[in-house]
Amino acid sequence: MTTQEHSQVDFLIVGAGPVGLLAANLIVQAGFSVRVLDVEYEPNHWGRGDWIHGRTLELLERAGLAEELLKTGVKVDQISSYANGEFQSNIPFVPDNVESKHQYLLCVGQHITESGLQTTLADRDIQVERPATVINMTEQPNEVYPIRTTVMHLRDEARTEQVDCKYLLGCDGAHSDIRQQLGIQTEGETTQTHAGVIDALVRTNFNAGRKDVCMLQNDVAKTISLFPRENGLTRIFVHFDENEVELRKEQYNRNKIQLEDIQREAKRGLLPHRLEFLGILYWSVYVVGQRLATEMDAMNHRVFLCGDAAHCQSPTLGQGVNTGFGDVFNLIWKLCLVERGHIKHDALATYGSERRPVAQQVLAIDKVAAKAAAGHQSSKEYCSIVQEHRSFTSGFGIHYNSDNAFVAQHQQQQSRSLLQPGMRAPNYKVFQLSTGRKTRIFDHLTSDWLSFSILVLADDLVKSYDHIQALWHFKNPLVTEPCLVITTTPAERIESELKGLEYKEWVMLDKLNRAQCHAAYRDEANSDIHAVVVRPDGYIGTIVHGTNADSVAAGIQQYFDRFAIKS
């Protein structure tokens, strides 16, 4: 074994799955240096997570990373249930009251997600270093690079390298070595329930279409689920019985379940329809369980766990990649703004305080859904669970409801408005005044995704114009674009009474669905000017209201003072 001289890097990422690759892309976009290590000799080619929910697509689109996935994946609108070959019911994956251009589930192989993210890194001359991993990490008295790691490169003759970094991200999966080195324990359980999965080209006379996820049950077989995939592929899940190990210990031990067992149960599950396998691209057996790390960061908020390294669950509801991506989008903007000198380092504690409760809820829902899928009694129980929790599982209903540096009510103001701080800021449809064209609020934003945004609900712009004009001149280094003003005033009246309107392209007309923006953000009994501060990850930071520009601007500044470093 040989030892090289040491090197330095801003961010060191261990694990080159989709979570680690997304983190690397966002870091590079922000202008920081990054290295990505993975212990495997080759990237994953098939299998694993293949569901990308609508909220995840919104975030990827904001970062300019969704285009290839949208071109390749299959858009699925609903889950349909069948009993003994007869249709029972269907449930849309996204509730009707959610406002988004991505009101569907995107089914696309994890290898395609990884390949796309890896290609964008390669365009910036960053390659995943394989096989390599961190075998030791310590804190050191260095203000710039406080984490010292020993990296082992395993190809050919093993060699070690000393790498000093500002931050280390453990994205190395459910059996995370980084988590173990930190001494962080996991809570939860691993059950004796198994699920077999196959990615295949199939021929069948079951005509459910390519727009549905189908759950099929009958009296003589186990529950199976069918998922349409890219390039005409189908993913098939076989949900083995909860007590399968007790029933047939030898045959249904995880290491005993073979491809032929999964194929046989899939064919039985589809009866009375036929199912023929033309080609198998991937198969595996999962042990259903839910585990959560007791901590999501260590070493004074310098080492973080993301994705399966922090929480893992069954693939029943497709939460793995989506929850991991949510971790990354929550964390990276905070890290980058700390390094840019804009926000305080101790605000990084909000990563764990915001994401761990989300992971707890993911695991709780997964536990009951996996149990229902393995029960084989009735699809109604499983579908009712999907329907009850679909707002959350699709990502749109995630709510950071603990008061912290980045989620705050203004002073003691309480509001009965539909939307509250900590919720997702919906991408509502509006009309742009300068063009007269329909658009969506956040599609108009052109700055990089690390910027905060301010939406101002002006109601009657003619009456509130003097105050709005003052808010357009609000300055803060964390806000790189003018306030986006949303008004209920008709365009004709604005044009006739506000000639020479400043920032005309930043005025949006709220005239769809009974002024849905105003209805969602404002208390009906309150006619004040409302300002909504939207975080870089698309969640509402605070909602401020006042009768004049000075009071609203003061409320906005008060919010930023909670975490910003004063220049």
Side-chain angles (χ1 to χ4, degrees), residues 147-162:
I147 303 299
R148 172 157 292 180
T149 70
T150 302
V151 173
M152 178 173 283
H153 299 269
L154 302 170
R155 190 176 295 277
D156 303 324
E157 181 183 358
R159 62 183 177 87
T160 59
E161 175 188 4
Q162 183 177 291

Side-chain angles (χ1 to χ4, degrees), residues 410 470-471 474 531 544 548-560:
H410 172 48
L471 289 172
F474 177 83
V544 178
N548 57 65
D550 289 342
S551 62
V552 173
I556 297 172
Q557 188 58 51
Q558 184 180 11
Y559 169 73
F560 285 119

Side-chain angles (χ1 to χ4, degrees), residues 368-389:
V368 295
K371 183 178 178 67
H376 309 302
Q377 300 303 313
S378 170
S379 61
K380 290 181 180 179
E381 181 183 2
Y382 177 81
C383 290
S384 67
I385 292 168
V386 172
Q387 184 165 16
E388 179 184 355
H389 298 289

Side-chain angles (χ1 to χ4, degrees), residues 18-81:
V19 173
L21 293 172
L22 174 63
N25 272 275
L26 299 182
I27 289 164
V28 170
Q29 284 185 12
F32 296 100
S33 61
V34 64
R35 289 176 63 179
V36 185
L37 314 177
D38 196 279
V39 73
E40 300 293 338
Y41 277 76
E42 293 183 352
N44 167 53
H45 294 296
W46 300 105
R48 302 187 184 178
D50 66 346
W51 285 16
I52 299 182
H53 288 289
R55 175 58 178 156
T56 303
L57 288 168
E58 286 185 340
L59 294 169
L60 289 170
E61 193 170 51
R62 180 83 168 93
L65 296 170
E67 185 175 355
E68 286 303 315
L69 293 175
L70 291 170
K71 287 180 181 178
T72 307
V74 176
K75 297 176 181 178
V76 179
D77 299 321
Q78 60 190 8
I79 180 169
S80 299
S81 63

